Amino acid sequence: MRDALLAAGFTDEGLLGLLGAPAYAALARGETVPALRATRGDTPLETLVRLFLLQQPVPRARAAAILPVEQCLASGWLTPAGTARATGGAGDGAQVAATVDVRPYAGPGEREKDWFIVSDLGCAVGGASGIGGRGRSADADVVLGVGGASTTLAQLTVRTPVTAALDLGTGSGIQALHASQHASRVTATDVNPRALRCAALTLALSGAPAADLREGSLYEPVGDETYDLIVSNPPFVISPVGTVPAASGDARSRGCLTYREAGVGGDDLCRTLVQGAGQRLNEGGYAQFLANWQHVADEDWTERLRSWVPSGCDAWIVQREVQDVTQYAELWLRDAGEHRMDPAGYAARYDAWLEEFARRRTTAVGFGWITLRRTGSQAPSVTVEEWPHPVEQPLGGTVRAHFGRRDQLRTYDDAALLASHLRLAPDVVQEQVGLPGAEDPEHIVLRQQRGMRRATRVDTVGAGFAGACDGTLPAGRILDAIAQLIGEDPVRLRDSMPPRIRLLMEQGFLEPVG
Ligand SMILES: C[S@@+](CC[C@H](N)C(=O)[O-])C[C@H]1O[C@@H](n2cnc3c(N)ncnc32)[C@H](O)[C@@H]1O
């Protein structure tokens, strides 16, 4: 099957060439009309795009020129289609249709690998029509393809060679596929058995080693086994499960959508995942999660997240976005296509979401990234911060460097800090803002060009210090020189500057030499 797809040029590059950038981008948004217009011919590539991406039946003879059709029908990739199918029958077999969505996928830095992602039909995430109401996608156990969250996690993940990796809630298998490139063993779990079958196909069709697939909830399928890397893009959506009035005839009335909602209250699933990772990480191992968390009235959200961090782990938690409860409810009602239901049903479900949030005293929901690293240190370093600005992806290297700096700084007291030789990171530039013609700038900002692309305000002493850090003089000597220059007491400067220098180091503006 893989050979047949590649021979037809069914690759990410091939798709871009065939569809052109706008139709290609529209397809990634879940919009199919531009791609349908671009695939009216009968080349092998057009046929495969119509079959596997656009859910169009194609003439059996045309498919047979590209694919081993008999075997595809026998093993279930394809199903007979034709005139009778349109009226609900099995089809006369003059045409064939795909049973799953197969789409070329170029992972960050892995473009040449010719990967494929297998998921349920019609599950391209996004698009104006939402997920609901399209074939299987109305079902609660639908297996989604690659979405924005999938690629965000894939790009965040630290990609160092490891022995054992765990992908919890594997879905289409995208995270397991990435992990298979740098882990000797990959375990992939899901509560949804359909997801495990899709993940197996994704790996096989991509030419990747098979994973150890296990069915079950959260850590239950892996018990106390330990890993060097745990990744999860979990069903983090906080929803009023079980209390929402069901739309009649809606498969979702059975409960929640497995791919996005945990079926437990509030942010409990994310908390359980994070807390459970500590004991399942090997020394030096990373656990990386996407998560949602509640902002509760009269509670500091950063404290809520700090309380999730398991002992023995450093943590870096970044809140990327906050939505008030109304924006949040609308986002997920629309994602499920519920805005297209009858107005009264929509209003009832919207009301149930707000009721649930009111009951939990939740005012807003945060979305972000949680990374743990097991260090066994008695004094774990936990950073919880808000950084909603654009970052440079892939960020895996930056995540690793963040924890490397924490390890280093743990060993530096103030005296060691002042004795160390520091260097301004090569991607840092200085920006000055002020009135034109004014002698002194009002603000000086140090800005990173790479990674987190952080910006931090400094005063003239901070800017002077950072600018002088070229690795030749110890930090303390630079401060003495600045003190002399500005007529400041050098002892006072040596006393006051270490916390600020430490912060600049923690955030990667300054790095130790050697
Ligand atoms: C948002 S999807 C992520 C899929 C894929 N890993 C990705 O990154 O695109 C969440 C997955 O978690 C699975 N899931 C839902 N509840 C779970 C649970 N309690 N334990 C394990 N997996 C669960 C769903 O079936 C779904 O495949």
Side-chain angles (χ1 to χ4, degrees):
M1 186 80 175
R2 174 174 171 78
D3 291 346
L5 297 182
L6 292 180
F10 191 54
T11 61
D12 197 55
E13 253 173 30
L15 274 188
L16 185 59
L18 171 69
L19 302 178
Y24 177 89
L27 195 58
R29 297 193 298 271
E31 299 293 350
T32 52
V33 174
L36 281 167
R37 292 172 61 84
T39 54
R40 287 170 176 158
D42 57 5
T43 64
L45 183 54
E46 283 165 291
T47 305
L48 290 177
V49 171
R50 290 182 85 83
L51 194 57
F52 287 119
L53 268 65
L54 302 172
Q55 294 181 55
Q56 300 295 305
V58 302
R60 181 183 173 130
R62 212 196 293 166
I66 314 163
L67 296 168
V69 163
E70 287 306 325
Q71 285 143 288
C72 286
L73 285 165
S75 55
W77 287 99
L78 299 178
T79 183
T83 46
R85 190 172 180 266
T87 55
D92 62 9
Q95 296 194 308
V96 288
T99 57
V100 280
D101 183 298
V102 177
R103 74 192 43 208
Y105 168 66
E110 313 273 13
R111 187 161 280 278
E112 75 294 349
K113 297 248 169 81
D114 291 327
W115 284 344
F116 298 97
I117 301 291
V118 180
S119 64
D120 271 326
L121 287 174
C123 291
V125 181
S129 48
I131 195 74
R134 286 180 285 163
R136 269 212 72 82
S137 53
D139 288 357
D141 68 347
V142 66
V143 179
L144 285 203
V146 175
S150 322
T151 49
T152 297
L153 178 62
Q155 299 195 88
L156 267 185
T157 304
V158 175
R159 301 279 173 211
T160 44
V162 293
T163 304
L166 169 66
D167 172 19
L168 197 152
T170 192
S172 67
I174 174 182
Q175 312 300 339
L177 177 59
H178 278 281
S180 72
Q181 306 301 298
H182 61 105
S184 319
R185 282 196 317 273
V186 178
T187 303
T189 70
D190 208 291
V191 273
N192 181 356
R194 297 178 47 70
L196 295 178
R197 292 201 286 278
C198 283
L201 293 175
T202 289
L203 292 167
L205 203 53
S206 299
D212 177 357
L213 300 168
R214 302 193 200 170
E215 187 182 329
S217 180
L218 296 172
Y219 292 107
E220 176 223 9
V222 299
D224 293 329
E225 285 172 33
T226 58
Y227 297 89
D228 308 303
L229 175 68
I230 298 175
V231 287
S232 186
N233 167 16
F236 49 65
V237 177
I238 300 171
S239 69
V241 173
T243 60
V244 180
S248 63
D250 185 350
R252 284 164 290 189
S253 61
R254 289 201 304 269
C256 55
L257 293 166
T258 316
Y259 72 86
R260 63 172 218 189
E261 289 151 19
V264 296
D267 51 19
D268 273 3
L269 177 117
C270 290
R271 180 181 50 75
T272 309
L273 263 183
V274 174
Q275 287 178 337
Q279 71 199 78
R280 293 179 178 87
L281 275 181
N282 292 328
E283 202 65 20
Y286 287 93
Q288 300 193 264
F289 306 99
L290 300 185
N292 276 188
W293 44 81
Q294 292 163 235
H295 284 225
V296 176
D298 306 322
E299 181 189 277
D300 177 351
W301 68 270
T302 65
E303 288 308 319
R304 182 179 192 84
L305 285 161
R306 279 177 191 281
S307 76
W308 291 7
V309 176
S311 61
C313 289
D314 284 357
W316 183 21
I317 300 173
V318 183
Q319 179 165 277
R320 294 287 293 161
E321 195 181 345
V322 188
Q323 289 191 324
D324 70 46
V325 289
T326 62
Q327 292 171 311
Y328 191 80
E330 287 160 28
L331 171 72
W332 295 109
L333 286 167
R334 282 170 190 275
D335 170 75
E338 301 191 26
H339 56 302
R340 287 180 280 107
M341 292 186 337
D342 66 298
Y346 175 77
R349 291 173 78 84
Y350 195 157
D351 187 61
W353 279 64
L354 295 186
E355 185 61 35
E356 171 78 356
F357 281 133
R359 203 174 61 74
R360 293 182 178 277
R361 305 183 65 238
T362 300
T363 55
V365 178
F367 168 84
W369 312 328
I370 298 180
T371 302
L372 306 176
R373 178 163 178 264
R374 183 151 194 97
T375 64
S377 163
Q378 298 299 313
S381 144
V382 177
T383 306
V384 184
E385 62 175 325
E386 183 155 27
W387 187 251
H389 307 294
V391 299
E392 182 195 37
Q393 289 282 21
L395 208 61
T398 302
V399 173
R400 190 172 166 222
H402 168 97
F403 287 93
R405 289 194 294 269
R406 296 300 150 135
D407 280 350
Q408 227 162 18
L409 281 168
R410 231 192 290 277
T411 63
Y412 279 36
D413 58 14
D414 286 358
L417 199 69
L418 292 174
S420 63
H421 293 243
L422 303 176
R423 181 173 52 201
L424 192 65
D427 65 320
V428 174
V429 294
Q430 177 176 308
E431 292 172 358
Q432 297 186 178
V433 180
L435 281 178
E439 220 164 82
D440 289 321
E442 280 168 34
H443 304 304
I444 308 175
V445 171
L446 299 182
R447 188 178 294 279
Q448 296 168 344
Q449 311 276 77
R450 322 257 349 230
M452 288 293 277
R453 297 197 166 123
R454 290 181 189 281
T456 189
R457 241 174 108 173
V458 285
D459 58 12
T460 42
V461 172
F465 178 79
C469 281
D470 61 2
T472 49
L473 286 179
R477 292 270 301 281
I478 296 177
L479 290 180
D480 295 344
I482 292 176
Q484 201 174 23
L485 211 64
I486 61 173
E488 168 78 89
D489 175 4
V491 177
R492 277 240 306 266
L493 213 53
R494 277 179 175 254
D495 278 350
S496 65
M497 281 299 281
R500 291 163 63 189
I501 298 175
R502 197 176 286 276
L503 191 65
L504 288 173
M505 290 176 76
E506 277 175 8
Q507 299 192 331
F509 288 95
L510 294 175
E511 49 196 35
V513 176

